[in-house]
């Protein structure tokens, strides 16, 4: 994947994206990431005339375009809970919570997960939902300070602290970051939402319940966990932190980009990542700890 900004006016940014099939996408987007024009001679304009894989390559180009404009121009074009800089800040902030603070924010989620496996009745907001169906629990996290206002960016500063090359096209130049140019990368959890619940019946039908939000702004991070037995892990706190690391992996994969080495690990990340990896041949099943991964370059032939 490669991008080149070709123009900008007071309404939008234009760019050319070359995907992993060497097809060019001409994209124009507004400063909030809304895509107003997308044309490629290599893919049908009508999604119904594309294969599943072709649709995904178009989506990869759009995701990569938003990331490229965000990093090159500083506009908030990446949806907040999909931004790797924000996800890493959330990972760092939640890691630093005391156990009492973590329980205050996420204890209800852990209790709900236990109900699936200890014989309790599982309270779901859908009258026809089977607790054994795919149930995704989500909690939105609000951070301070704003993770997108760091220069160099949060992800680059974090990776620059480690020896070895990140080996990813999204981290070019991090070895040029000097130690005195780095911030402390200390983030505080300002607030956490009530639980959101997504139910997938396995037959193509989804329903979503949205819990209350504590602040009148977009959250920075969304923890997403498929129902599992929390007694199967040593630390639920660490499991939540790991989920955000896997989400960073997913967000780069869904851009069509090999993730940095630090995030090439297997485990449950985002629900969108799971859906793509499960049902699109461009991806391997990175979400599964039992699958054998042969490549971290999604859809590169």
């Amino acid at each position: 994947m490669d991008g080149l900004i070709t123009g900008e006016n007071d309404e939008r940014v234009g760019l050319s994206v070359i995907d992993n099939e060497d097809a060019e996408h001409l994209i124009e987007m507004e400063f909030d990431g809304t895509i107003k024009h997308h044309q490629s001679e290599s893919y049908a304009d009508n999604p119904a005339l594309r294969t599943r894989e072709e649709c995904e390559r178009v989506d990869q180009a759009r995701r990569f375009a938003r990331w490229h404009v965000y990093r090159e121009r500083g506009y908030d074009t990446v949806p907040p809970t999909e931004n790797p800089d924000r996800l890493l800040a959330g990972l760092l902030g939640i890691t630093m919570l005391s156990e009492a603070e973590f329980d205050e924010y996420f204890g209800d989620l852990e209790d709900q997960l236990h109900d699936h496996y200890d014989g309790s009745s599982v309270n779901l907001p859908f009258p026809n939902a089977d607790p054994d169906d795919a149930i995704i629990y989500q909690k939105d996290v609000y951070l301070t300070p704003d993770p997108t206002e760091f220069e160099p960016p949060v992800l680059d500063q974090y990776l620059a602290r480690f020896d070895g090359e990140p080996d990813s096209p999204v981290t070019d130049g991090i070895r040029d970051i000097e130690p005195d140019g780095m911030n402390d990368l200390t983030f505080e959890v300002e607030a956490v939402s009530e639980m959101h619940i997504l139910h997938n019946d396995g037959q193509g039908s989804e329903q979503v319940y949205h819990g209350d939000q504590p602040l009148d702004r977009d959250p920075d991070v969304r923890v997403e966990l498929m129902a599992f037995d929390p007694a199967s892990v040593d630390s639920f706190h660490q499991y939540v932190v790991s989920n955000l690391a896997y989400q960073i992996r997913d967000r780069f994969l869904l851009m069509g980009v090999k993730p940095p080495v630090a995030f090439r690990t297997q485990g449950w990340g985002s629900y969108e990542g799971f859906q793509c990896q499960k049902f699109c041949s461009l991806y391997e099943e990175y979400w599964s700890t039992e699958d054998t991964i042969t490549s971290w370059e999604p859809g590169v032939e």
Side-chain angles (χ1 to χ4, degrees):
M1 304 292 290
D2 196 12
L4 176 67
I5 293 177
T6 56
E8 179 178 346
N9 58 27
D10 58 0
E11 294 182 353
R12 61 182 67 168
V13 179
L15 69 162
S16 166
V17 172
I18 307 299
D19 71 20
N20 290 327
E21 286 284 276
D22 290 326
E24 184 179 31
H25 302 253
L26 300 178
I27 296 173
E28 295 179 10
M29 74 178 69
E30 296 179 343
F31 302 129
D32 64 356
T34 301
I35 292 178
K36 305 301 290 186
H37 174 79
H38 185 168
Q39 187 271 329
S40 176
E41 294 183 357
S42 300
Y43 305 98
D45 291 334
N46 185 347
L49 300 179
R50 303 181 206 139
T51 65
R52 175 66 178 85
E53 287 68 29
E54 288 173 338
C55 284
E56 186 61 22
R57 291 198 188 277
V58 170
D59 287 341
Q60 285 181 349
R62 289 177 168 232
R63 298 179 192 118
F64 182 84
R66 291 188 176 101
W67 170 258
H68 188 73
V69 171
Y70 158 70
R71 278 303 192 91
E72 292 296 316
R73 291 290 192 267
Y75 301 128
D76 206 7
T77 47
V78 179
T81 59
E82 299 176 15
N83 187 324
D85 286 321
R86 293 184 188 271
L87 288 165
L88 179 57
L91 181 156
L92 297 172
I94 293 174
T95 296
M96 296 306 297
L97 291 175
S98 69
E99 289 308 311
E101 291 170 325
F102 179 82
D103 187 62
E104 176 186 352
Y105 291 131
F106 297 100
D108 59 340
L109 174 55
E110 185 173 12
D111 290 343
Q112 179 80 358
L113 291 169
H114 274 298
D115 287 346
H116 280 267
Y117 290 90
D118 65 5
S120 301
S121 175
V122 180
N123 183 23
L124 295 172
F126 316 113
N128 58 338
D130 185 336
D132 291 332
D133 289 342
I135 306 292
I136 312 299
Y137 293 103
Q138 304 167 331
K139 297 204 78 174
D140 291 335
V141 181
Y142 299 78
L143 304 170
T144 185
D146 185 340
T148 65
E149 294 184 352
F150 284 70
E151 185 55 44
V154 170
L155 180 73
D156 294 11
Q157 290 194 46
Y158 178 79
L159 293 174
R161 287 167 160 79
F162 299 94
D163 293 332
E165 287 298 323
D167 187 30
S168 172
V170 295
T171 55
D172 290 342
I174 71 162
R175 291 297 165 225
D176 297 330
I177 300 175
E178 298 294 335
D180 59 4
M182 296 184 188
N183 304 104
D184 289 337
L185 298 186
T186 299
F187 297 92
E188 295 183 4
V189 174
E190 184 177 3
V192 176
S193 74
E194 294 185 353
M195 272 191 297
H196 316 308
I197 304 176
L198 184 153
H199 167 244
N200 186 321
D201 66 1
Q203 305 297 319
S205 177
E206 290 183 358
Q207 47 190 340
V208 181
Y209 167 82
H210 295 285
D212 289 340
Q213 299 286 13
L215 300 179
D216 187 24
R217 66 173 176 88
D218 289 330
D220 295 284
V221 169
R222 172 167 288 174
V223 172
E224 295 190 86
L225 303 181
M226 179 177 274
F228 81 105
D229 185 358
S232 66
V233 297
D234 293 333
S235 167
F236 183 62
H237 190 161
Q238 184 56 47
Y239 188 88
V240 169
V241 170
S242 297
N243 171 250
L244 297 181
Y246 302 143
Q247 285 195 45
I248 294 171
R249 173 207 67 205
D250 283 351
R251 291 306 164 193
F252 285 121
L253 291 169
L254 296 188
M255 293 180 210
V257 171
K258 179 169 58 174
V261 170
F263 302 104
R264 289 181 208 163
T265 53
Q266 293 170 246
W268 176 270
S270 65
Y271 177 67
E272 183 181 19
F274 164 74
Q275 290 284 89
C276 291
Q277 293 160 30
K278 188 72 175 174
F279 301 111
C280 180
S281 66
L282 297 185
Y283 305 101
E284 299 186 39
E285 295 197 2
Y286 305 99
W287 64 273
S288 172
T289 57
E290 299 178 355
D291 212 49
T292 300
I293 302 302
T294 63
S295 174
W296 290 95
E297 297 189 269
V300 177
E301 298 178 356

